[in-house]
Amino acid sequence: MKDSYSLGTRLILGFLIVAGAFSLTTTIFLEYTANRQFHEYMEKVRQKKHQEILRYFEQVYAKEDTLKSSSGTEIAEQAMRDGNVVTLLDENGTLLWEVEREMVALHYQMMGHPSGLYEEKEYPLRINGSQVGTVRIGNFTGIILSPEDMAFRNSLRRGILLASLFGILIAFCLSILLSRKLVAPIKKMKRFADQLRQGDLRARLTEKSGTREMDSLAEGLNYLAKSLEDQEELRKELTRDISHELRTPLNTLNALIEAYIDGVMAPTAEHLEECREEILRMADLTRDLERLSDLEGGILRLSPEELNLGNLVSGIARSFEPLCAQKEIALDFSLEEDLLIQADRDKLRQVILNLLSNAVQYTPSEGSIGIRGTRCGTSICLAISDSGVGIGEKDLPRIFERFYRIDKSRSRHSGGAGIGLAIVDRIVRASGWKIYVTSRPGEGSIFTVEFPQEP
Ligand code: ADP
């Protein structure tokens, strides 16, 4: 059995079910209303006939001054045709004349109608206020319709049926048009997804469908494609960068070791220190990569505790003092007291370390670095500023991406692989904090981390 249908088929079926249900209820309602109208109409006709029969007997009595067994003969045939079982009784209740019930029932059957229930009404026959007899008129409740009535009823039924079929046909045509219109953009998206799957990450959905939800879905898919394209670009860049990063120290090491083996160079402490530096650079790179992949893979586990931001920051900053002194960078911190925040100690440490080491790395000698911890509105803010090289407007939105480095050659010399800020961004987002950067090339940068506080 087929277990999945196309959206178009589903839509057409859906429309047909709705149209069918609508036609069916309309038909039932119209048929019921028409039947009721017919019954009311037939009842009126019946009442009229009864009154005519009564009037007839009144006239007979007025003419003959009595009622006898032949008084009804003249109307016998008409009464039978109209389906009236007429019984005439004198003032004492003695039967004078009657149209036999069986005869009327037979007539009903000959006309092809079910005779239904039998109902009888009794009318006193009064002349000048005194009762001279009784007329009993009985009818079978099944309707006897004249050929005109039958034709009218049948054409009404045909009309209702035709209208229903026509309605379903129109619904069918409309449903095809509508489903095509609705399904077309989805088909386009499917083709687009196939293109992406086949690796064409430059493909984009450009046409507007005119349906808000579809357009925003297309926008989302375009965004996804753009992200995939960027990621792919970054991945290629990373492979290139890593191999480049590794090739240089490996070549250096290889050349040095070959020189020692060949006896061209003596493995002095100075030369061995060079080897060690290259090894350390490679170790740093692999450590950064490892850390990032830990943060990126799966859910980041946080163990928040109450921390005094001032204490934590000044502890870390102090460890940078020797490096700053070496580069003649002035390190200045001002931290308000009792800045208590809920944070995972190791992760926050990592954020501050990465921001501070960048500040030191990208600030030339005799520059300055400032650390400020303050209350800002309902949050607590930590700003790390430097008088370093700054970041251009074009690079600013991208510096938190993995492996994004502004000046690749400069970064390589200083050892960075464009991972530090990606780690910061991942931790900040997972912890519910915010990070902002303001920077001017040649003047310096300010990285501000905001820790929102529970009201
Ligand atoms: P890296 O390990 O290369 O420093 P990061 O992810 O930490 O990588 O930073 C990404 C890029 O952002 C760096 O290559 C650098 O160009 C730029 N950057 C980061 N911090 C600063 C800063 N304080 N001043 C100037 N540029 C910075």
Side-chain angles (χ1 to χ4, degrees):
M1 207 175 77
K2 208 174 167 186
D3 57 354
S4 107
Y5 295 90
S6 74
L7 183 63
T9 314
R10 275 188 190 280
L11 281 172
I12 293 173
L13 277 176
F15 277 121
L16 282 182
I17 289 172
V18 171
F22 180 72
S23 291
L24 192 73
T25 41
T26 314
T27 309
I28 292 172
F29 179 72
L30 286 178
E31 179 70 15
Y32 168 77
T33 315
N35 263 339
R36 216 186 50 201
Q37 294 285 336
F38 258 91
H39 271 103
E40 278 171 14
Y41 164 71
M42 291 313 293
E43 190 52 39
K44 266 191 206 139
V45 170
R46 207 170 271 164
Q47 281 303 321
K48 209 170 138 217
K49 295 271 182 215
H50 287 191
Q51 292 308 316
E52 275 172 18
I53 293 168
L54 276 180
R55 228 162 295 127
Y56 165 78
F57 282 119
E58 280 166 10
Q59 279 166 9
V60 169
Y61 190 89
K63 215 191 280 171
E64 299 180 2
D65 210 25
T66 181
L67 291 171
K68 44 189 196 236
S69 58
S70 61
S71 295
T73 344
E74 266 182 49
I75 56 153
E77 203 186 318
Q78 180 66 39
M80 202 158 67
R81 232 189 344 245
D82 293 343
N84 291 321
V85 178
V86 187
T87 312
L88 179 67
L89 308 166
D90 68 8
E91 69 262 46
N92 305 319
T94 317
L95 175 74
L96 292 174
W97 170 85
E98 67 175 342
V99 174
E100 277 178 38
R101 189 169 151 175
E102 285 71 28
M103 294 296 285
V104 175
L106 201 66
H107 179 69
Y108 253 85
Q109 274 162 20
M110 273 162 55
M111 295 283 285
H113 293 285
S115 44
L117 291 172
Y118 181 74
E119 230 174 50
E120 215 171 45
K121 279 188 184 155
E122 216 173 69
Y123 302 95
L125 197 62
R126 289 182 206 282
I127 303 289
N128 300 331
S130 58
Q131 188 170 348
V132 294
T134 305
V135 180
R136 217 183 272 151
I137 308 173
N139 295 101
F140 292 102
T141 49
I143 317 163
I144 277 206
L145 297 175
S146 68
E148 294 81 38
D149 289 341
M150 295 267 273
F152 174 67
R153 228 190 116 141
N154 286 342
S155 79
L156 193 71
R157 275 191 174 152
R158 253 198 316 275
I160 294 172
L161 197 74
L162 269 177
S164 302
L165 289 177
F166 195 61
I168 292 178
L169 191 74
I170 289 182
F172 180 66
C173 297
L174 281 178
S175 68
I176 290 179
L177 286 178
L178 246 140
S179 77
R180 273 202 192 145
K181 203 166 160 37
L182 283 175
V183 170
I186 297 180
K187 280 192 175 158
K188 256 184 219 148
M189 285 182 204
K190 156 92 176 60
R191 277 197 295 276
F192 174 63
D194 285 344
Q195 268 175 297
L196 293 186
R197 204 171 50 182
Q198 282 154 15
D200 179 7
L201 299 179
R202 278 159 192 258
R204 294 288 180 274
L205 284 165
T206 46
E207 264 177 65
K208 292 263 172 214
S209 71
T211 311
R212 204 181 309 143
E213 287 81 358
M214 294 290 175
D215 287 344
S216 72
L217 183 60
E219 215 172 281
L221 286 175
N222 277 339
Y223 179 79
L224 196 69
K226 169 92 176 63
S227 311
L228 284 174
E229 194 188 2
D230 290 350
Q231 287 296 318
E232 180 64 11
E233 193 57 38
L234 279 171
R235 194 185 59 77
K236 282 185 192 153
E237 223 170 82
L238 164 73
T239 322
R240 222 174 21 238
D241 287 351
I242 292 181
S243 57
H244 197 256
E245 301 281 335
L246 292 176
R247 201 179 319 121
T248 318
L250 283 173
N251 283 345
T252 316
L253 278 175
N254 191 34
L256 283 169
I257 293 168
E258 263 178 17
Y260 301 150
I261 294 171
D262 296 345
V264 179
M265 206 186 259
T268 59
E270 197 185 329
H271 287 143
L272 286 174
E273 182 57 31
E274 252 178 75
C275 294
R276 203 174 76 93
E277 264 176 31
E278 296 300 338
I279 292 170
L280 283 180
R281 194 175 298 167
M282 287 191 286
D284 277 355
L285 176 66
T286 48
R287 192 207 52 220
D288 274 356
L289 284 171
E290 213 170 14
R291 193 166 292 153
L292 183 67
S293 81
D294 279 353
L295 290 173
E296 300 256 304
I299 299 158
L300 189 57
R301 260 190 294 280
L302 298 167
S303 320
E305 56 183 294
E306 191 172 70
L307 298 173
N308 185 316
L309 187 67
N311 292 349
L312 187 81
V313 173
S314 47
I316 300 170
R318 231 162 270 132
S319 68
F320 277 85
E321 273 168 358
L323 194 60
C324 289
Q326 200 186 341
K327 279 185 86 177
E328 292 178 54
I329 293 173
L331 185 60
D332 163 58
F333 37 100
S334 92
L335 296 153
E336 276 180 30
E337 274 183 20
D338 296 331
L339 295 175
L340 299 177
I341 57 166
Q342 284 289 326
D344 181 308
R345 179 184 289 271
D346 287 343
K347 303 285 184 295
L348 178 58
R349 229 183 117 73
Q350 184 74 61
V351 168
I352 300 167
L353 265 175
N354 288 11
L355 292 178
L356 265 178
S357 61
N358 276 352
V360 176
Q361 202 167 9
Y362 299 107
T363 302
S365 295
E366 295 177 14
S368 63
I369 293 176
I371 306 171
R372 275 169 57 80
T374 50
R375 286 189 177 77
C376 48
T378 55
S379 309
I380 288 176
C381 291
L382 176 70
I384 298 178
S385 57
D386 62 63
S387 63
V389 293
I391 302 161
E393 216 172 293
K394 152 177 101 51
D395 297 303
L396 217 46
R398 300 200 62 186
I399 52 170
F400 291 101
E401 287 175 12
R402 274 170 299 172
F403 313 115
Y404 190 79
R405 300 180 309 182
I406 297 170
D407 180 346
K408 295 184 173 61
S409 60
R410 186 186 69 194
S411 274
R412 189 154 52 80
H413 282 304
S414 51
I419 295 175
L421 286 182
I423 292 177
V424 168
D425 180 60
R426 184 76 181 87
I427 296 175
V428 162
R429 275 191 291 132
S431 308
W433 308 329
K434 288 174 191 153
I435 185 158
Y436 318 100
V437 196
T438 50
S439 187
R440 266 167 186 271
E443 287 181 23
S445 317
I446 308 174
F447 284 78
T448 309
V449 185
E450 183 185 331
F451 306 92
Q453 299 298 292
E454 301 271 305

